[in-house]
Amino acid sequence: MKRYLVFALVVPFIGGFLLLLTTTYQSGYWAQTNLGEVGKLFAVFFKTLQYSYLFGFLPALMIGAVDDILLHIRRIRPALRMILVGLFAFVLAAFVHGSRGPDSGAVQFILYGLVGFVPAVISSWLVHRYVEEPQAAPVPT
């Protein structure tokens, strides 16, 4: 249960911020602004944080479920599990957020993929580091 709580708290927060950064980059905001307007970015982030949790809660739990499933496969070590969870979230986010129109391309696919990859890997690492993982029962001989 703690595993899902970590994913539900961390993924929408970090993913929402990365999604905001990606969309502002895609719109050309950073090419026309100065460093003084970065405060507006954080103001928008905190005003829209409730929507990040509203729309990011269920995808975060799905990614947490993938992490939980991979936990029960003994041959998969924690580092590989973090990478696999991150890759799943990368593909999921890239196809959900990225467009398939004339402005799509590799940069857009990678940026939107990182919106899913980074929070998933961070959450998986936090779960591995701070949440007790069940010990495998010994196999009777």
Side-chain angles (χ1 to χ4, degrees):
M1 188 67 177
K2 293 177 189 176
R3 171 179 314 276
Y4 293 102
L5 183 62
V6 169
F7 274 90
L9 291 176
V10 173
V11 169
F13 186 81
I14 297 173
F17 184 70
L18 290 176
L19 185 61
L20 179 63
L21 284 178
T22 300
T23 54
T24 55
Y25 172 77
Q26 292 283 327
S27 70
Y29 177 78
W30 295 109
Q32 303 170 3
T33 188
N34 58 15
L35 196 56
E37 295 202 17
V38 173
K40 290 182 182 179
L41 180 81
F42 288 107
V44 169
F45 171 65
F46 287 111
K47 287 179 183 177
T48 60
L49 188 59
Q50 59 191 347
Y51 300 109
S52 294
Y53 278 98
L54 177 67
F55 296 114
F57 180 73
L58 288 177
L61 292 180
M62 287 173 32
I63 296 168
V66 170
D67 187 68
D68 192 28
I69 290 168
L70 293 176
L71 172 72
H72 291 64
I73 301 173
R74 290 187 200 171
R75 293 184 179 177
I76 297 179
R77 299 286 173 222
L80 180 60
R81 186 178 75 227
M82 290 176 214
I83 297 297
L84 290 174
V85 168
L87 289 175
F88 173 77
F90 182 95
V91 171
L92 184 70
F95 284 119
V96 168
H97 295 296
S99 69
R100 287 146 202 76
D103 61 339
S104 64
V107 173
Q108 183 188 39
F109 185 78
I110 291 170
L111 286 175
Y112 282 118
L114 288 175
V115 168
F117 181 82
V118 172
V121 170
I122 290 172
S123 298
S124 185
W125 177 78
L126 287 171
V127 165
H128 170 69
R129 183 93 169 121
Y130 296 109
V131 176
E132 284 185 28
E133 297 178 350
Q135 300 296 323
V139 177
T141 56

